[in-house]
Amino acid sequence: MTTAATLASPARPAERLRTSTPWWMSLLAGIAAFTGTGSATLNGDELATISAASRSLSGMWELARHIDGHFLPYYLFMHLWVKAGTAELWLRLPSAVGIGVAAWFLVDLGRRLHSTRAGVIAAAVFAILPAVSYFGAFARSYAFAAAAVAFSFWALHRAVERSEVRRWVVYGVAVALVCSTHLFAVLVLPAQLLLLRRDRVVPMLAAMALGCVPAAVLGLVGFGERHAISWIPQRGPEVWLKFPKMAAGASGLGLMLFALALAGAVLLWRAAPRGAGALPPWRAAPYGVEEAGTARAEEAGRVRGEESGGAGAGESGGARVWVFVLVGWLVLPPVLLLVVSQLVTPVYVDRYLFVTAPALALLAGLAVAALPRFQVVAAVVVVLLGCALSVQEHVTVREENGRFENIPWALRVIKAEPDDAIVYGQSQLRTGFEYYADSLMPVDVLKAGDAPSPDGFGYPERPDAAAALDGRDRVWVVWRGSKQSGLDGDAVPRVAEVVKAGFKLSLAKHSAELPGLTVALFVRR
């Protein structure tokens, strides 16, 4: 008869229990993320990174006082990084490294919770996610946040396993990194509170409180900058239906992995020890013991468990708590982000929840590793099936328009003649056009300064478009959004100003995806 313990057993009894973590999995994950770096062009958020990081320290502080204050730690890091250049590959390299670091922590956390095989499978699943390919080739802090979150759960497991001051210090540092990489990454921390126990309340809460100091500071800064995210619409619970797609980066793959994650949680729960001193079957021997199942190994493991209070703890239900912790890591951030949106201000944006992707991969890895046999075959099937279900998304994120703001395309549309003018519907677009322009550009008639505004990413411009266009017969207008948003509505005031100055529409083209870019040519009536 098959029992829950049998289902959870990750390998044959004679399998070697390794203490080392396969570093090559982190390398493969980083490479997988980096493969799309040179294809998709930079979008507005990444150009904002260039704009912010290229300023002086005082300039970055002035910017942080008005907008993107919670990104200040990342901008400080990139301020040093861009001193070596601003090429696409170089700008995105830190994010790919962040994905590799997250994968390493996934492997070792999977080993600690179940087996090395579980960690390797989790890292492999993580590497094939289209979301990882996107954010691992994205010059923003989201990959850093995922790595910091994985680090925090890994550090917490070590601290709970053996309560030592230095381990709690490492955990506190990990929490501080979570808080510094992205403000809403802190939404994973409530899941960690499930591990509170009377004998560890003081060190755990002290480490978490000190680590959360950056979040408190950046949160206060961000609260004063709510106007900067006024573009975010109010969301309802229906967004949770799209969460599997967001976490994985593809609908079919997301649904498959959520089903596996649920199975992994159930199997881990059923196989958890129920009695005092009991160990899960995969932890019958401590790390480094080659043969499991002997009386000596069982006794050694029990002593280790009693000392640790962790997943293999003598404490009844210790392993079961980790089931709730991992599930909380996955599902609490979207729930809490929507709560913040409803109670404070709309903040629900899918990319803020990329920190849940490692949890999805880890739970899926645990499910596959918990099969009674053929775990390797099942892992290969899951990875290959996952690739098949997400091949289109992988292709999309690696296309030139993979970030949905294709400035090189817009430059190819613009066929400038002598004395042509250009007007930007949003002045911050100027950063991207100046970054990519490699040929004759129309005259930027509204530009009033070479540096962006100290309190934002836009540029100072002349207020009178009609006067600036005096003597011009053709003007190119570029704006972020659809053709209708600029031509049929009032979302792009610069278009109306050009028309009022005596021009009529001659040509309008929009890039493939929304919001995308629109390029329009206006000629004198």
Side-chain angles (χ1 to χ4, degrees):
M1 181 177 179
T2 302
T3 63
T6 304
L7 285 173
S9 181
R12 294 181 176 88
E15 181 180 352
R16 182 182 300 275
L17 299 177
R18 301 174 182 175
T19 59
S20 61
T21 299
W23 59 269
W24 47 269
M25 279 308 304
S26 61
L27 180 62
L28 289 178
I31 291 174
F34 196 64
T35 54
T37 296
S39 303
T41 58
L42 301 175
N43 73 356
D45 285 341
E46 295 177 286
L47 292 166
T49 295
I50 297 177
S51 177
S54 300
R55 306 182 191 207
S56 64
L57 293 178
S58 60
M60 281 192 292
W61 172 245
E62 180 65 22
L63 177 70
R65 292 177 54 211
H66 296 89
I67 188 174
D68 274 4
H70 61 289
F71 279 117
L72 181 59
Y74 175 70
Y75 287 157
L76 288 170
F77 167 79
M78 291 301 291
H79 175 73
L80 300 176
W81 190 260
V82 299
K83 290 184 181 298
T86 58
E88 290 173 344
L89 291 171
W90 184 248
L91 285 169
R92 290 168 169 171
L93 178 59
S95 292
V97 173
I99 291 298
V101 171
W104 189 94
F105 284 118
L106 272 186
V107 174
D108 202 56
L109 186 55
R111 175 178 71 86
R112 290 171 171 277
L113 292 171
H114 189 280
S115 63
T116 300
R117 181 169 294 167
V120 170
I121 297 171
V125 171
F126 185 63
I128 67 167
L129 298 181
V132 166
S133 293
Y134 186 96
F135 291 107
F138 196 54
R140 299 294 273 180
S141 67
Y142 302 109
F144 283 28
V149 166
F151 177 29
S152 71
F153 280 90
W154 175 87
L156 180 58
H157 189 280
R158 289 180 73 249
V160 169
E161 181 183 55
R162 187 164 66 246
S163 187
E164 296 177 348
V165 172
R166 61 179 181 177
R167 294 192 175 200
W168 287 114
V169 169
V170 171
Y171 171 64
V173 170
V175 171
L177 288 175
V178 170
C179 299
S180 300
T181 50
H182 194 273
L183 180 60
F184 292 114
V186 301
L187 298 179
V188 305
L189 298 181
Q192 298 180 356
L193 292 174
L194 295 173
L195 288 168
L196 272 178
R197 202 179 65 178
R198 183 164 47 188
D199 60 346
R200 67 174 73 109
V201 167
V202 173
M204 183 174 175
L205 289 185
M208 183 177 286
L210 291 174
C212 283
V213 170
V217 175
L218 296 175
L220 290 173
V221 171
F223 186 78
E225 298 173 349
R226 298 187 306 282
H227 63 281
I229 56 172
S230 60
W231 56 271
I232 301 177
Q234 186 62 271
R235 309 282 188 176
E238 69 278 358
V239 294
W240 293 334
L241 297 176
K242 301 178 181 178
F243 180 58
K245 176 183 179 181
M246 186 289 308
S251 298
L253 177 60
L255 292 174
M256 181 189 80
L257 292 181
F258 262 79
L260 278 176
L262 177 61
V266 170
L267 289 175
L268 198 61
W269 169 268
R270 293 182 63 189
R274 290 176 173 80
L279 286 175
W282 62 85
R283 295 295 298 278
Y287 300 139
V289 177
E290 186 166 339
E291 297 290 328
T294 65
R296 181 178 179 183
E298 183 177 1
E299 179 62 24
R302 182 175 293 110
V303 170
R304 180 183 177 89
E306 289 172 351
E307 290 176 349
S308 69
E315 175 196 5
S316 178
R320 290 191 168 191
V321 174
W322 271 99
V323 176
F324 289 105
V325 171
L326 296 180
V327 172
W329 178 1
L330 177 62
V331 303
L332 279 180
V335 173
L336 295 176
L337 190 62
L338 189 60
V339 170
V340 174
S341 294
Q342 298 292 333
L343 298 181
V344 183
T345 189
V347 292
Y348 196 102
V349 179
D350 287 345
R351 61 179 176 269
Y352 295 170
L353 299 172
F354 178 61
V355 293
T356 61
L360 178 63
L362 181 56
L363 283 167
L366 289 170
V368 176
L371 293 174
R373 60 184 63 184
F374 305 122
Q375 300 98 335
V376 174
V377 174
V380 172
V381 170
V382 168
V383 170
L384 292 179
L385 181 58
C387 291
L389 290 172
S390 60
V391 62
Q392 184 55 53
E393 287 77 8
H394 277 290
V395 171
T396 298
V397 301
R398 288 167 171 81
E399 292 176 343
E400 184 181 68
N401 194 40
R403 303 297 177 267
F404 311 127
E405 196 168 309
N406 195 345
I407 294 176
W409 168 86
L411 287 168
R412 292 193 296 268
V413 171
I414 297 174
K415 307 296 184 182
E417 297 181 0
D419 296 327
D420 278 6
I422 188 169
V423 169
Y424 297 101
Q426 298 90 10
S427 68
Q428 59 266 37
L429 286 174
R430 188 174 282 106
T431 302
F433 279 79
E434 292 181 348
Y435 179 88
Y436 281 107
D438 57 1
S439 59
L440 178 66
M441 281 284 291
V443 180
D444 191 351
V445 293
L446 295 183
K447 188 176 181 180
D450 292 330
S453 301
D455 59 352
F457 300 111
Y459 285 76
E461 294 184 330
R462 296 174 59 181
D464 190 348
L469 293 170
D470 187 35
R472 308 283 178 177
D473 292 326
R474 291 167 30 114
V475 55
W476 298 89
V477 184
V478 183
W479 64 88
R480 183 183 292 116
S482 66
K483 288 188 285 188
Q484 291 72 22
S485 66
L487 300 176
D488 300 336
D490 57 357
V492 187
R494 287 298 189 192
V495 175
E497 293 175 16
V498 169
V499 173
K500 187 177 180 180
F503 291 83
K504 64 179 180 180
L505 180 67
S506 174
L507 169 74
K509 292 185 177 182
H510 181 264
S511 58
E513 302 288 344
L514 292 174
L517 294 174
T518 296
V519 178
L521 172 63
F522 288 81
V523 297
R524 181 74 68 176
R525 289 193 187 94

